[in-house]
Amino acid sequence: MTHTAARAHGGRLRFTLHYIEMIVAMFVGMAVFGFLRSLAGLDVSFAREPELGYLAMAFDMSLGMAVWMRIRGHAWRHTLEMCAAMFVPIVPLFPMLWTGLIDGDTLMIAAHVAMFPLMLGAMLLRRHDHL
């Protein structure tokens, strides 16, 4: 393997590991901040209020990811772009929920399926910042 090929492979590996780090930070944020919200008596019933439930969860995931990104030295711009991936899926999904085209469970599944490629897209836009 040439030096250039080895460097490219190492860059892809670092990029992949960073993506996994962001996913882990997102789930840790969801667990920790969701637990703290629950302790504070600020639970949201997803069954009764799927919009608010999703927004609270997206906020928790974003907060976890933002904390970790800032610890890792990422700029606010990159951090906010990654956090936006948690909220962008609601743009088409909330109207579909409100019109009865989907239910709350479908909203949650579709939003989670969408956020992962959106996070990857945000990272690819600023590839050099995530290596």
Side-chain angles (χ1 to χ4, degrees), residues 18-26 65 68-69 82 119:
H18 182 66
Y19 180 67
I20 293 168
E21 268 185 49
M22 294 301 98
I23 293 170
V24 169
M26 181 178 75
M65 194 165 41
W68 188 246
M69 286 184 75
M82 288 291 284
M119 285 172 51

Side-chain angles (χ1 to χ4, degrees), residues 13-84:
L13 180 61
R14 280 191 307 278
F15 184 88
T16 302
L17 290 175
H18 182 66
Y19 180 67
I20 293 168
E21 268 185 49
M22 294 301 98
I23 293 170
V24 169
M26 181 178 75
F27 281 108
V28 168
M30 181 174 61
V32 170
F33 296 115
F35 176 72
L36 292 174
R37 206 171 6 85
S38 179
L39 280 179
L42 300 173
D43 279 336
V44 177
S45 169
F46 184 76
R48 284 192 319 268
E49 301 171 298
E51 300 97 326
L52 189 55
Y54 179 79
L55 289 172
M57 185 183 59
F59 179 79
D60 295 342
M61 291 187 294
S62 295
L63 191 54
M65 194 165 41
V67 166
W68 188 246
M69 286 184 75
R70 295 298 294 163
I71 287 170
R72 295 284 307 236
H74 287 275
W76 276 112
R77 177 179 179 174
H78 307 139
T79 302
L80 295 174
E81 288 170 351
M82 288 291 284
C83 291

